[in-house]
Amino acid sequence: TIHIALWSTAFMALSPILLGISQILNPDALLWSFGSASLFSYFALLRFQEKKFLFFSGIFLGLAILSKYTASFFLPFFLLISILSLSFKPTPDFTVILDQIQKNLKHFFFIFFITVTTIVFFLPAIWLKPAILINLLSGGTDTPFIFITLATFTLLSLDCVLFRGYLLHF
């Protein structure tokens, strides 16, 4: 199977279309690169629970938002992924679920803090006009995604705890 992977990688690396696109540097390419790196490190965080993936997710998400502010849609997506990861674990004990919800919330807020720190470090204009940060994190709209995300996460967390996941199952 390693030979198949090596040949596939070689053919993809030598694809004329990908080589042509790689010659153009645009924000979309950076968004896809940093966004996917952030997403995969968040998946690794959920699987292995290592702190280095917290840092990687936050830094790459900050760089993705800096390349294109629409990358802030990853914030609600991370919470949705953490909720779905809870629903696929066969744990009937609600104390375990509550502990996992608390851990996922801590991870999310830590990733959010690292993301904001990365943005502030690479975009010093935020010190003069902090509204730029809100505009970046909101995806260009008036309401930041984070408020919608927290309301959804709270509703689904309460569903898991109080109603035994009836809404999520539905």
Side-chain angles (χ1 to χ4, degrees), residues 30-75:
L30 294 175
L31 169 68
W32 282 102
S33 301
F34 289 135
S36 60
S38 176
L39 183 66
F40 291 142
S41 33
Y42 189 71
F43 283 147
L45 170 70
L46 289 176
R47 170 120 188 216
F48 300 113
Q49 300 291 324
E50 293 181 17
K51 290 188 180 188
K52 65 182 176 183
F53 296 120
L54 278 172
F55 291 105
F56 289 148
S57 294
I59 290 170
F60 288 135
L61 182 59
L63 292 172
I65 291 174
L66 281 172
S67 69
K68 240 182 159 160
Y69 63 84
T70 54
S72 59
F73 75 88
F74 277 113
L75 291 170

Side-chain angles (χ1 to χ4, degrees), residues 49-162:
Q49 300 291 324
E50 293 181 17
K51 290 188 180 188
K52 65 182 176 183
F53 296 120
L54 278 172
F55 291 105
F56 289 148
S57 294
I59 290 170
F60 288 135
L61 182 59
L63 292 172
I65 291 174
L66 281 172
S67 69
K68 240 182 159 160
Y69 63 84
T70 54
S72 59
F73 75 88
F74 277 113
L75 291 170
F77 192 65
F78 282 170
L79 282 180
L80 180 67
I81 290 171
S82 66
I83 291 169
L84 289 176
S85 72
L86 289 175
S87 66
F88 288 119
K89 291 183 180 180
T91 56
D93 189 15
F94 287 109
T95 57
V96 174
I97 292 173
L98 284 175
D99 290 341
Q100 193 64 37
I101 288 172
Q102 284 180 339
K103 187 184 290 186
N104 286 347
L105 276 175
K106 285 179 187 175
H107 288 168
F108 177 77
F109 286 120
F110 192 69
I111 287 171
F112 183 74
F113 174 74
I114 292 174
T115 299
V116 169
T117 305
T118 304
I119 291 170
V120 168
F121 181 75
F122 286 110
L123 188 65
I126 291 175
W127 292 102
L128 300 175
K129 191 175 178 185
I132 296 172
L133 182 64
I134 294 172
N135 193 18
L136 282 173
L137 293 176
S138 68
T141 62
D142 294 333
T143 307
F145 286 145
I146 192 71
F147 297 127
I148 299 167
T149 304
L150 288 178
T152 306
F153 186 73
T154 304
L155 175 73
L156 291 176
S157 299
L158 287 174
D159 173 53
C160 287
V161 173
L162 298 177

Side-chain angles (χ1 to χ4, degrees), residues 10-32:
F11 284 137
M12 282 187 270
L14 297 175
S15 167
I17 295 171
L18 292 177
L19 285 174
I21 290 174
S22 68
Q23 301 299 318
I24 303 168
L25 180 66
N26 61 9
D28 292 337
L30 294 175
L31 169 68
W32 282 102

